[in-house]
Amino acid sequence: MERYEKLLHDNGQGHILKYLENANPDKKAELINQIEKIDFKQLNELFKSSNRKIEEAQEGVIIEHVPFIDKYKMDKSQYQDLEELGENIIRSGKYAAVTMAGGQGTRLGHDGPKGTFLLNVKPEPKYLFQIIAEGLERANKKYNVTIPWYIMTSTENNDRTVEFMKEHNYFGYSEKDIMFFKQGNLPILSEQGKLLIDECGNIKLAADGNGCIYKSMKIDGVIDDMKKRGIEWVFIGAVDNALLNMVDPILLGLTINDINEIGAKSVVKVNPHERVGVFCKKDSKPAVIEYTEIPEEMAEETDEDGELLFGESHIMCNLYSISAIEKIANQKLPYHTAHKKAAYINENGELIKPEKPNAYKYEAFIFDGFRYFDEISILRGRREEDFAPIKNSEGVDSPESATKLYNDYWEKNANGRM
Ligand code: UTP
């Protein structure tokens, strides 16, 4: 028996042999290569945990409030001290920015990488990548530096992303200071734990979640590149926030002043039941608790000032020392299961497009990296300044809501960011 046959046989994936029989020699060789690369031990463990209830995972975990500082409630001298601390680091070229752009953007439904989405803002429409580039350019001008910009793509969207940026001349960003790197993949499994075959006759894979960014930064040489450039602090943000501020000296100053290795910007929840993850401590380590995991009474709990105890939303504005990134990159982050719709080719060669979720996708989450530290500095910003997410095609967190937030902000701050 060939190695790939044994692998398939031993791991309950014998149905793939049928696809191999029907494939032409090139495709067959490609498929065999893909099969031999699969970590079946890991995949089998992931499948076993697919149906694990959230309550089971949370059993015995102690959830506590984590303190934060409000950017606009600190006294002036503290603000200025933190600003100076942060600005010194940025000015001296020790600060880098990373954009996570490997997601599939399924809810938005845009044909292409999310960063290539054109937002109909004033005075003229802008692509999401363009908005990020402009934000960094503003900081570059202010601090007289060029902040290196790293963009994480996926196997699925890398080529289109790179071509798009090239076509648009990197929106004026210096080409030598932009680097693309690719995140990894994991096979998608059917509800019976079977590998699926995609429209091109390959094993169906999906990006392994934004939490894999740390590992990808190590494998793809991003950490090494940063070290060569003398980078000490790294901001990681999402591609889909039209008000994302990647260069906030107060967040940087606060984290340095607290002698912490990680920091994050938050905005307060709109109401206790908003569907966002919030900062907390799980078993005394910094963490984010998802809205699906937080008990109702905990979500509504307030302190003596009436502030929600679990009200600081994780908006994917995270800051790390370079050694923190390295530390997380050497850990194995847990995978979370998503039950998704996944089109596939059945054994008769027909394309099946399911109407309801039919498969499991496994993803690591960026905030699971926080658990390797004792403390995190959290800076509460303002929604109208920091957070205009584009998740859905309409309604809440849509291009329409983000456009309004963007226009309102830039109307008020025509002279630049605070
Ligand atoms: P989301 O988790 O909101 O996913 O990503 P998404 O892909 O944009 O949208 P849906 O869920 O399919 O509708 C938050 C951020 O994390 C990035 C996204 O590109 C976005 O910036 N991300 C997500 C990755 O870089 N890789 C992933 O595997 C997943």
Side-chain angles (χ1 to χ4, degrees):
M1 201 187 267
E2 297 280 347
R3 185 172 124 77
Y4 70 91
E5 287 173 312
K6 184 163 164 41
L7 277 173
L8 292 173
H9 183 263
D10 291 353
N11 291 287
Q13 304 291 350
H15 65 295
I16 298 293
L17 292 169
K18 180 116 187 260
Y19 294 93
L20 283 162
E21 271 167 32
N22 298 332
N24 67 40
D26 284 351
K27 184 83 289 168
K28 184 172 174 181
E30 215 179 310
L31 254 180
I32 291 174
N33 185 24
Q34 290 165 15
I35 292 160
E36 291 186 336
K37 277 198 198 138
I38 296 175
D39 180 345
F40 282 101
K41 186 168 173 271
Q42 177 196 39
L43 204 59
N44 294 337
E45 277 166 17
L46 287 175
F47 181 66
K48 257 197 252 158
S49 68
S50 302
N51 283 317
R52 204 158 65 117
K53 296 263 179 314
I54 290 166
E55 301 87 75
E56 282 172 46
Q58 292 295 318
E59 232 167 48
V61 175
I62 298 171
I63 313 272
E64 288 168 301
H65 160 80
V66 62
F68 65 88
I69 299 251
D70 191 319
K71 186 172 173 183
Y72 300 100
K73 285 192 182 154
M74 59 178 92
D75 64 54
K76 204 168 164 204
S77 74
Q78 187 191 10
Y79 189 99
Q80 284 169 343
D81 289 349
L82 297 182
E83 190 171 36
E84 197 185 324
L85 251 181
E87 288 193 341
N88 282 341
I89 294 288
I90 302 164
R91 260 197 212 101
S92 52
K94 295 176 180 165
Y95 187 83
V98 184
T99 297
M100 298 183 291
Q104 288 182 303
T106 37
R107 287 169 287 171
L108 181 62
H110 163 61
D111 178 24
K114 228 183 196 179
T116 69
F117 184 80
L118 191 63
L119 201 62
N120 197 14
V121 293
K122 284 183 198 159
E124 59 197 25
K126 286 179 183 171
Y127 297 102
L128 296 186
F129 278 133
Q130 182 179 5
I131 292 176
I132 298 174
E134 287 180 359
L136 288 172
E137 284 289 10
R138 266 192 302 275
N140 288 344
K141 221 165 147 191
K142 181 168 176 189
Y143 301 114
N144 195 25
V145 285
T146 303
I147 295 170
W149 181 20
Y150 300 83
I151 300 174
M152 181 171 81
T153 63
S154 63
T155 314
E156 217 176 331
N157 74 15
N158 180 70
D159 294 355
R160 286 177 83 181
T161 305
V162 175
E163 273 160 32
F164 173 87
M165 291 297 281
K166 205 167 173 190
E167 249 169 53
H168 289 88
N169 199 21
Y170 306 96
F171 297 105
Y173 219 83
S174 125
E175 191 181 343
K176 69 173 186 15
D177 296 305
I178 296 193
M179 271 135 290
F180 298 90
F181 66 104
K182 262 194 261 180
Q183 69 175 104
N185 291 311
L186 274 175
I188 284 186
L189 293 179
S190 75
E191 287 167 337
Q192 290 71 39
K194 303 292 177 200
L195 291 166
L196 298 173
I197 296 293
D198 70 14
E199 288 93 324
C200 303
N202 298 317
I203 299 287
K204 190 158 180 105
L205 303 170
D208 49 6
N210 56 27
C212 292
I213 189 164
Y214 310 105
K215 190 178 66 189
S216 304
M217 285 173 73
K218 181 180 166 186
I219 297 171
D220 296 352
V222 172
I223 298 179
D224 284 344
D225 188 77
M226 286 178 170
K227 282 186 176 170
K228 259 189 235 143
R229 289 170 180 257
I231 299 300
E232 291 180 4
W233 290 92
V234 182
F235 180 91
I236 303 184
V239 71
D240 53 3
N241 173 4
L243 282 181
L244 176 71
N245 181 2
M246 297 194 95
V247 192
D248 186 340
I250 309 295
L251 174 62
L252 182 53
L254 178 72
T255 310
I256 296 171
N257 195 51
D258 286 345
I259 322 181
N260 278 338
E261 289 184 81
I262 55 170
K265 181 80 85 66
S266 69
V267 298
V268 70
K269 267 179 159 183
V270 174
N271 65 59
H273 302 292
E274 192 190 358
R275 293 155 70 97
V276 289
V278 290
F279 286 97
C280 67
K281 279 201 167 177
K282 284 186 182 174
D283 286 340
S284 72
K285 300 288 186 184
V288 169
I289 183 162
E290 292 274 53
Y291 65 89
T292 44
E293 298 172 338
I294 190 164
E296 202 169 313
E297 61 281 13
M298 203 180 243
E300 291 170 357
E301 225 177 315
T302 51
D303 65 11
E304 61 272 21
D305 301 324
E307 293 274 14
L308 288 173
L309 276 178
F310 298 94
E312 300 315 301
S313 318
H314 173 247
I315 55 168
M316 304 216 185
C317 286
N318 301 333
L319 178 75
Y320 307 80
S321 69
I322 185 100
S323 55
I325 301 256
E326 219 166 9
K327 183 170 174 182
I328 310 171
N330 290 326
Q331 309 290 335
K332 268 196 172 161
L333 260 55
Y335 285 99
H336 302 251
T337 308
H339 197 202
K340 297 245 176 179
K341 280 193 258 182
Y344 66 99
I345 303 290
N346 72 10
E347 288 175 34
N348 303 321
E350 299 151 346
L351 174 65
I352 307 294
K353 283 189 173 171
E355 307 251 301
K356 54 181 180 53
N358 63 320
Y360 296 119
K361 184 179 169 197
Y362 303 100
E363 289 186 307
F365 292 163
I366 185 147
F367 54 69
D368 280 326
F370 299 157
R371 66 174 64 178
Y372 304 104
F373 305 88
D374 289 330
E375 303 296 338
I376 182 168
S377 295
I378 297 176
L379 182 71
R380 181 194 276 184
R382 282 188 191 140
R383 194 170 281 262
E384 63 274 22
E385 287 181 7
D386 293 296
F387 196 44
I390 299 138
K391 299 288 176 193
N392 307 308
S393 61
E394 50 190 35
V396 179
D397 298 344
S398 64
E400 196 188 338
S401 59
T403 301
K404 179 165 180 352
L405 283 160
Y406 181 96
N407 289 342
D408 289 352
Y409 178 83
W410 286 108
E411 213 166 276
K412 278 195 211 120
N413 297 278
N415 298 327
R417 266 193 184 275
M418 281 181 66

